[in-house]
Amino acid sequence: MGNIVAVVGRPNVGKSTLFNRLTESRSAIVDEASGVTRDRHYGKVDWNGKNFTLIDTGGYVKGSKDIFEAEIRKQVVIAIEECDLILFVVDVTSGITDLDQTVANLLRRSNKKIILVSNKVDNNARIADSSIFYGLGISDEIFNISSVSGSGTGELLDEVVKNLKDKKENEDDEGIPRLAIVGRPNVGKSSLLNALIGIDRNIVTDIAGTTRDSITTKFNAFGFDLKLIDTAGIRKKGKINEDVEFYSIMRAVRSIENSDVCILIIEATEGIMAQDMNIFQLAISNNKGIVILVNKWDLVEKETNTAKIYEEQIRRKLAPFTDVPIVFTSVINKQRIHKALEEVVRVYENRNRKISTSQLNDVMLAIINQYPPPALKGKWIKIKFITQLPTHAPCFAFFCNLPQYVKDPYKRFLENKLRENFDFAGVPIQIFMRKK
């Protein structure tokens, strides 16, 4: 199961810069003006073999400064309730402000582990200046970092992973596929769950955002044994105005992390949109199996090849990962909903598929000998051995003489050949080049 680490603090202390540094991305906008971060950013961090989701909870303040503290309080309260660990970021160049004290007062009453991070410590003189933050009474240790240069972030990550617990499922749930139903608001997620179990387990309305929490239901019928997780709709980040929606999205992110397979529901009348792609990438980045469900298919005017053309359009947008099952359905009419579950089970089996080393080498080495990797700088790359790594999702190690010279296009070629010869439909594949 996944851990969530929230970055909290008053505006303009460098939370987004720290988020970008730790996730090795540039997804969070950074500017010297306060209040720039209006969106909620989610990113994966991998440190010393331990993964967690980092959430930038930058407080956007709307209106006068009178509501500064109230808006920040909402985000911090949500972070305290939902995350596993909190990074409390302060600015060494400003010292302790009233807003820092407000956040600290809330954190001090929580039972969550809090790591105090003094940012913008760009020289040795500022290390001494950071001692003022002991006065917050939050922690007996301060981690001095510079988000811009990356100084001190290694030690900070060491402390983070040291305090994250390895979460395990209950023994009764082992071997039962966990299916997260995800998508934008009002595409039919709760309706799918209700149609499957035959009762109105979840509230369904035409109002986007009706589902506020992630609800787990055991499903054992028609030959299926699954755990179904209905999640809150993940809408475009710029449209998140309510603190309760932020709470819902944190739950949805956690549900994706804790699942084995995700059903991504898209609305047939709108097609696959940018936010659908964001959710798709979130599932892929977590190495989850995925099935795409095109709902409300009964509302589309059809001709002979309508479904085929529609499917081709989806796969073009999903490229390069196009090996994903796509099911056209009308949840309200219960069309092909069990077909969707059949695909979920198949993807779950693919995700757990293990290929023997001998079979892997017999098939892939013959292909590699016929289509070897291109030479680079006059040097020939020779791949001599392949094995599947003992991980939850399919990962393959290719041992060769010059692993640093194997480029992404050839890795995609190898991935495509693995998919052609072994059934990994709906499952991300990771390929690693290692020195022989």
Side-chain angles (χ1 to χ4, degrees):
M1 295 177 68
N3 288 288
I4 292 179
V5 176
V7 182
V8 301
R10 64 177 177 83
N12 206 28
V13 293
K15 299 184 298 299
S16 294
T17 307
L18 177 60
F19 174 90
N20 289 344
R21 170 67 61 179
L22 298 185
T23 59
E24 298 181 343
S25 70
R26 294 184 178 180
S27 61
I29 299 173
V30 176
D31 193 270
E32 292 182 0
S34 65
V36 167
T37 302
R38 302 184 182 188
D39 300 345
R40 307 305 169 211
H41 300 283
Y42 315 92
K44 294 293 294 182
V45 180
D46 185 351
W47 186 257
N48 291 339
K50 207 161 190 176
N51 298 305
F52 61 90
T53 293
L54 189 69
I55 297 185
D56 178 12
T57 63
Y60 165 55
V61 179
K62 186 167 53 177
S64 68
K65 293 185 178 181
D66 292 337
I67 61 171
F68 235 14
E69 296 182 30
E71 290 297 319
I72 292 175
R73 183 187 299 269
K74 289 180 182 179
Q75 300 301 331
V76 174
V77 168
I78 295 166
I80 291 172
E81 184 173 352
E82 189 58 27
C83 70
D84 301 287
L85 185 145
I86 297 171
L87 299 183
F88 179 23
V89 183
V90 290
D91 183 354
V92 69
T93 63
S94 302
I96 298 177
T97 69
D98 291 342
L99 286 175
D100 289 325
Q101 194 66 60
T102 299
V103 177
N105 290 338
L106 288 171
L107 296 180
R108 195 179 296 110
R109 295 191 295 269
S110 75
N111 293 321
K112 298 293 176 71
K113 172 65 179 179
I114 301 161
I115 297 177
L116 183 57
V117 182
S118 177
N119 192 24
K120 306 181 184 180
V121 182
D122 301 317
N123 52 58
N124 291 334
R126 289 184 176 178
I127 294 177
D129 294 339
S130 293
S131 60
I132 191 175
F133 295 116
Y134 287 115
L136 292 170
I138 287 292
S139 175
D140 56 2
E141 186 175 8
I142 298 173
F143 286 83
N144 298 299
I145 70 163
S146 171
S147 298
V148 173
S149 68
S151 173
T153 53
E155 291 80 1
L156 174 62
L157 285 171
D158 287 338
E159 181 69 12
V160 169
V161 298
K162 184 176 74 173
N163 286 279
L164 293 178
K165 298 179 180 179
D166 293 323
K167 300 182 178 181
K168 298 181 180 179
E169 285 290 302
N170 296 329
E171 293 184 1
D172 294 340
D173 294 331
E174 289 184 0
I176 300 177
R178 292 164 295 178
L179 169 62
I181 304 172
V182 297
R184 291 181 291 112
N186 204 28
V187 293
K189 298 181 297 299
S190 297
S191 297
L192 174 61
L193 181 61
N194 292 344
L196 288 172
I197 64 179
I199 59 174
D200 291 339
R201 170 67 170 79
N202 291 352
I203 300 171
V204 178
T205 73
D206 291 332
I207 302 172
T210 298
T211 301
R212 294 295 196 185
D213 209 344
S214 298
I215 302 169
T216 302
T217 304
K218 292 289 289 289
F219 178 76
N220 192 335
F222 309 106
F224 300 104
D225 189 9
L226 304 168
K227 286 182 67 179
L228 307 179
I229 309 170
D230 179 25
T231 64
I234 306 177
R235 69 176 63 192
K236 188 176 180 180
K237 295 174 184 176
K239 294 183 179 180
I240 301 172
N241 299 316
E242 301 176 49
D243 54 310
V244 69
E245 281 200 57
F246 179 39
Y247 178 88
S248 300
I249 291 172
M250 291 184 75
R251 283 290 178 93
V253 170
R254 187 187 290 276
S255 297
I256 290 175
E257 289 190 327
N258 296 345
S259 67
D260 298 305
V261 181
C262 299
I263 280 187
L264 172 58
I265 302 181
I266 66 175
E267 189 166 335
T269 56
E270 296 181 349
I272 188 164
M273 304 181 73
Q275 188 60 4
D276 297 317
M277 290 301 303
N278 291 337
I279 300 170
F280 179 80
Q281 291 300 330
L282 182 61
I284 298 307
S285 65
N286 282 278
N287 295 316
K288 306 303 181 182
I290 191 161
V291 175
I292 292 181
L293 201 65
V294 183
N295 190 25
K296 306 182 184 180
W297 189 240
D298 55 310
L299 302 180
V300 175
E301 294 184 8
K302 303 173 188 64
E303 297 179 0
T304 305
N305 294 320
T306 302
K308 183 178 179 181
I309 295 171
Y310 199 104
E311 183 175 332
E312 289 174 353
Q313 292 173 345
I314 292 176
R315 295 194 188 281
R316 278 199 298 270
K317 291 188 176 182
L318 298 182
F321 180 32
T322 60
D323 189 15
V324 178
I326 300 174
V327 180
F328 296 87
T329 183
S330 170
V331 170
I332 195 170
N333 295 324
K334 299 187 178 181
Q335 292 177 350
R336 291 181 288 275
I337 58 175
H338 291 136
K339 170 67 175 175
L341 292 187
E342 291 174 3
E343 292 294 344
V344 166
V345 173
R346 181 166 77 94
V347 169
Y348 175 76
E349 292 172 349
N350 292 346
R351 189 170 183 264
N352 291 283
R353 176 166 285 108
K354 304 298 179 186
I355 310 298
S356 67
T357 302
S358 59
Q359 185 181 9
L360 199 56
N361 282 270
D362 289 344
V363 173
M364 294 303 296
L365 287 181
I367 295 172
I368 292 169
N369 289 333
Q370 189 174 2
Y371 302 100
L376 189 66
K377 299 180 180 179
K379 297 182 179 180
W380 293 96
I381 303 166
K382 296 182 180 179
I383 299 176
K384 300 181 179 180
F385 182 72
I386 309 119
T387 187
Q388 184 173 0
L389 301 176
T391 54
H392 292 296
C395 297
F396 298 90
F398 288 72
F399 292 87
C400 60
N401 58 334
L402 299 167
Q404 69 274 21
Y405 287 169
V406 182
K407 302 302 180 183
D408 288 340
Y410 193 76
K411 290 181 181 179
R412 286 196 291 270
F413 166 78
L414 295 176
E415 177 182 340
N416 291 336
K417 291 302 177 182
L418 284 168
R419 294 186 183 280
E420 286 178 15
N421 290 276
F422 310 101
D423 188 4
F424 286 109
V427 183
I429 292 177
Q430 290 183 292
I431 291 178
F432 301 96
M433 293 293 168
R434 293 184 175 176
K435 181 75 174 177
K436 175 66 176 174

